[in-house]
C-alpha cells in the first residue's frame, strides 16, 4: 500500500480527512443510539505484532474515538514460523542463523482468539446474539450490516457471508455449496478463485467451468468479500468444541524453479476466517444453516488496500471515488435528488478516478435508506460539487448545489434547510507532480492528489435547539 502506519489510521476521504478508525467508531455509536440505546456494542480488534502497539496507542491518543474503553478489546495474533522449501525446513534470517523468519498466520486465527480471550462466551452470556466480522479498509461495509442482519434473522442463519455479483474467472473467492456423496458432508463455503474453475470442470453439472449465466451476465457463484455475520450463542458453543476454534490450514507457495522444491520466498501455513463452516458442520452436522447475502458491489465493497499504479483497483483513491458514487446513487434511488456525474475522470498516479461530485454523509445523518429519504427530500447536485453532512438533526427540504457546502450540527440541534441555492468556486482535486509527492505525507502520496478548497459555504450549528436555514444560507434559531 505504501503506508507505514496502521491502515485504520488512513483517511477515508479527503473532504473531512476522517480516519477509518473514526468512521467505524462513529458507525458503532450511531447503531447503538438509533437501534439499541440501552446497549453498548462490543468492538474487538485483532492485531498482529506489527500493528498491536500502534493500534493501542492510537486508541489512547484519540480517547477511543468516543467509544467507552470498556467496550473495546484488542486481541493480539501471534506469528508463525515461515518455511523455505517443500520439505518444510524453517526459513532463517540471512544475517542471523539462529533467528527464524515469522509471518502472520492469516485472519482465521480470529476464531481461536475469540475463544481463548473468553470474548465469544462473554458475549453469549450477556445476551448478545450476532457478531459481525469485517476487515479494516472497506468503507462501504457500513451499508451491509443491517440488511445482512435482517436476512439472517429471517432465514435463521447460523453464519451469513456478504457477497457481491461476480464475473466468471474474476480473481475473487466465490461462495459455493459443496457436496461429498461419499461422506454426506455438505458445506456452503468459500472456494478460492484459482481452485473454482478446475473444481467445477470436475463435476457433471458444470463441465464448462466458471462461466457467466447469460440471463444475468454474472457467474452463478457470487463473490465472497469476507464479511461474516454469525449467531453468537451457536458460535460460542462451536468454538468450545473439539477443535477449539482452530480452522484448517493451507499453504500457497511460489516456487523458485520448475523443480517445485525451493520456495521463491519464505512461505507460511495460513488459515482463513471464512472457512468457519467446516467447524460449524463438524460440531452441528451437515444440516447447519449457513447462507449468504448478495448486495450490489457499488454499495458494499470497495477496499483501500493496494498501492496506486497504472490500472490498479482497490486503491485509496478508487475507494474515495466509490464512496461518493455510492452516496450519489443512493440519494437518487431513495430521494428526489438529481446528481450530475462527471464524464471526464482524472488520472492520479496512473489510476483513473471520478472524484467529483464528492458527497460525504456521516452515519449520524442517515443510517438507513428510509432515514436518508426522510431527511433529504429534493434537490440537485452539479458534477463539480462537494457536500458534507454531519449531524443527526439535519433535514434538507430542497437544495440546489453548484460548488461546495458543508452542514455540521451538534447533537441536540435540528437544522431545517429550505430552498437553499449554493453556487461558489467549490473544491478541486489536484494531481501532484513527482516533486510535490516527495514533499507530502504518506497519506497524500498513496492517493496522488490533494484537495484544494477554493470556496466553501459552511453552515455550522454549535448550539442545541431548532434552526432554519433560509434561502440566503443563514441559520436562524427558532
Amino acid at each position: 500500500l505504501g503506508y507505514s502506519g496502521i491502515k485504520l489510521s488512513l483517511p477515508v476521504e479527503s473532504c473531512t480527512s476522517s480516519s477509518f478508525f473514526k468512521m467505524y467508531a462513529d458507525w458503532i455509536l450511531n447503531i447503538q443510539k438509533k437501534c439499541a440505546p440501552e446497549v453498548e456494542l462490543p468492538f474487538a480488534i485483532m492485531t498482529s505484532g506489527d500493528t498491536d502497539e500502534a493500534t493501542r496507542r492510537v486508541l489512547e491518543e484519540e480517547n477511543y474515538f468516543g467509544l467507552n474503553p470498556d467496550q473495546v478489546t484488542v486481541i493480539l495474533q501471534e506469528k508463525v514460523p515461515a518455511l523455505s522449501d517443500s520439505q518444510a525446513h524453517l526459513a532463517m534470517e540471512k544475517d542471523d542463523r539462529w533467528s527464524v523468519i515469522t509471518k502472520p498466520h492469516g485472519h482465521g486465527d480470529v476464531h481461536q482468539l475469540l475463544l481463548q480471550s473468553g470474548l465469544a462466551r462473554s458475549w453469549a452470556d450477556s445476551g448478545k446474539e450476532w457478531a459481525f466480522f469485517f476487515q479494516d479498509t472497506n468503507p462501504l461495509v457500513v451499508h451491509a450490516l443491517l440488511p445482512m442482519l435482517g436476512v439472517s434473522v429471517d432465514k435463521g442463519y447460523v453464519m451469513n457471508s456478504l457477497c457481491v455479483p461476480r464475473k466468471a474467472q474474476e480473481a475473487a473467492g466465490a461462495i459455493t455449496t459443496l457436496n461429498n456423496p461419499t461422506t454426506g458432508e455438505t458445506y456452503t463455503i468459500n472456494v478460492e478463485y484459482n481452485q473454482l474453475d478446475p473444481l467445477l470442470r470436475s463435476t457433471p453439472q458444470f463441465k464448462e467451468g466458471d462461466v457467466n449465466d447469460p440471463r444475468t451476465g454474472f457467474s452463478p457463484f457470487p463473490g465472497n468479500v469476507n464479511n461474516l455475520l454469525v449467531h453468537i450463542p451457536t458460535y460460542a458453543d462451536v468454538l468450545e468444541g473439539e477443535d477449539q476454534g482452530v480452522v484448517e490450514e493451507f499453504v500457497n507457495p511460489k516456487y523458485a524453479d520448475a523443480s517445485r522444491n525451493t520456495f521463491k520466498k519464505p512461505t507460511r501455513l495460513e488459515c482463513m476466517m471464512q472457512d468457519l463452516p467446516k467447524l460449524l458442520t463438524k460440531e452441528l452436522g451437515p444440516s447447519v444453516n449457513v447462507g449468504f447475502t448478495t448486495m450490489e458491489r457499488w454499495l458494499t465493497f470497495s477496499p483501500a488496500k493496494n498501492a496506486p499504479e497504472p490500472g490498479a483497483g482497490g486503491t485509496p483513491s478508487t475507494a474515495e471515488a466509490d464512496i461518493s458514487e455510492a452516496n450519489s446513487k443512493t440519494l437518487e434511488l431513495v430521494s428526489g435528488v438529481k446528481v450530475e456525474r462527471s464524464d471526464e475522470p482524472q488520472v492520479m498516479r496512473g489510476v483513473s478516478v471520478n472524484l467529483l461530485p464528492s458527497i460525504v454523509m456521516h452515519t449520524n445523518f442517515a443510517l438507513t435508506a428510509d432515514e436518508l429519504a426522510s431527511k433529504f427530500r429534493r434537490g440537485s447536485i452539479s458534477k463539480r460539487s462537494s457536500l458534507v453532512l454531519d449531524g443527526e438533526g439535519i433535514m434538507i427540504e430542497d437544495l440546489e448545489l453548484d460548488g461546495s457546502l458543508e452542514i455540521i450540527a451538534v447533537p441536540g440541534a435540528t437544522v431545517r434547510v429550505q430552498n437553499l441555492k449554493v453556487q461558489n468556486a467549490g473544491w478541486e482535486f489536484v494531481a501532484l507532480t513527482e516533486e510535490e509527492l516527495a514533499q507530502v505525507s504518506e497519506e497524500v502520496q498513496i492517493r496522488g492528489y490533494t484537495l484544494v478548497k477554493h470556496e466553501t459555504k459552511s453552515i455550522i450549528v454549535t448550539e442545541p435547539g431548532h434552526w432554519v436555514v433560509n434561502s440566503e444560507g443563514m441559520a436562524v434559531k427558532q
Side-chain angles (χ1 to χ4, degrees), residues 302-377:
S302 181
K305 63 179 183 178
N306 296 325
E309 58 183 37
T315 68
S317 57
T318 58
E320 176 164 5
D322 288 344
I323 292 170
S324 290
E325 178 61 15
N327 287 336
S328 297
K329 280 190 176 182
T330 304
L331 274 174
E332 290 185 319
L333 286 170
V334 306
S335 69
V337 180
K338 295 180 180 179
V339 183
E340 184 184 17
R341 305 299 208 286
S342 171
D343 55 4
E344 298 178 357
Q346 295 174 273
V347 177
M348 307 292 196
R349 295 197 65 182
V351 180
S352 179
V353 286
N354 274 321
L355 295 165
L356 288 173
S358 182
I359 300 175
V360 178
M361 296 186 291
H362 197 285
T363 53
N364 63 17
F365 171 65
L367 194 60
T368 66
D370 283 347
E371 188 178 13
L372 179 59
S374 70
K375 288 186 172 181
F376 205 142
R377 301 290 180 80

Side-chain angles (χ1 to χ4, degrees), residues 211-232:
V211 296
N212 289 326
D213 184 334
R215 295 171 299 176
T216 65
F218 291 99
S219 169
F221 303 96
N224 172 41
V225 298
N226 271 356
N227 295 287
L228 315 177
L229 189 67
V230 302
H231 183 245
I232 291 175

Side-chain angles (χ1 to χ4, degrees), residues 290-306:
V290 174
F292 63 91
T293 300
T294 299
M295 299 181 69
E296 292 288 354
R297 186 185 297 250
W298 63 261
L299 182 64
T300 59
F301 184 61
S302 181
K305 63 179 183 178
N306 296 325

Side-chain angles (χ1 to χ4, degrees), residues 167-246:
K167 290 289 187 180
Q169 307 297 329
E170 183 179 341
I175 294 294
T176 65
T177 297
L178 304 180
N179 298 299
N180 187 327
T182 304
T183 65
E185 292 177 305
T186 298
Y187 299 118
T188 298
I189 197 168
N190 175 77
V191 174
E192 288 303 299
Y193 69 91
N194 58 341
Q195 300 172 335
L196 179 64
D197 192 69
L199 174 65
L200 292 174
R201 291 179 183 276
S202 70
T203 68
Q205 303 100 311
F206 300 99
K207 290 183 178 179
E208 295 182 2
D210 185 24
V211 296
N212 289 326
D213 184 334
R215 295 171 299 176
T216 65
F218 291 99
S219 169
F221 303 96
N224 172 41
V225 298
N226 271 356
N227 295 287
L228 315 177
L229 189 67
V230 302
H231 183 245
I232 291 175
T234 308
Y235 176 68
D237 289 343
V238 167
L239 294 186
E240 293 167 356
E242 179 182 349
D243 291 326
Q244 296 287 286
V246 177

Side-chain angles (χ1 to χ4, degrees), residues 119-164:
L119 284 175
R121 176 50 59 193
S122 70
W123 294 342
D125 290 346
S126 65
K128 305 296 189 298
E129 292 191 43
W130 299 95
F132 187 51
F133 295 76
F134 63 97
Q135 295 180 283
D136 48 13
T137 55
N138 173 23
L140 299 183
V141 73
V142 298
H143 300 144
L145 171 57
L146 296 181
M148 286 181 70
L149 182 58
V151 170
S152 298
V153 172
D154 183 61
K155 301 293 185 182
Y157 287 152
V158 171
M159 171 180 161
N160 187 359
S161 296
L162 175 64
C163 296
V164 296

Side-chain angles (χ1 to χ4, degrees), residues 192 248-252 268-272 275:
E192 288 303 299
E248 289 186 5
E249 296 175 312
F250 67 97
V251 63
N252 186 25
R268 89 284 196 190
L269 292 171
E270 55 186 308
C271 56
M272 300 187 296
D275 282 343

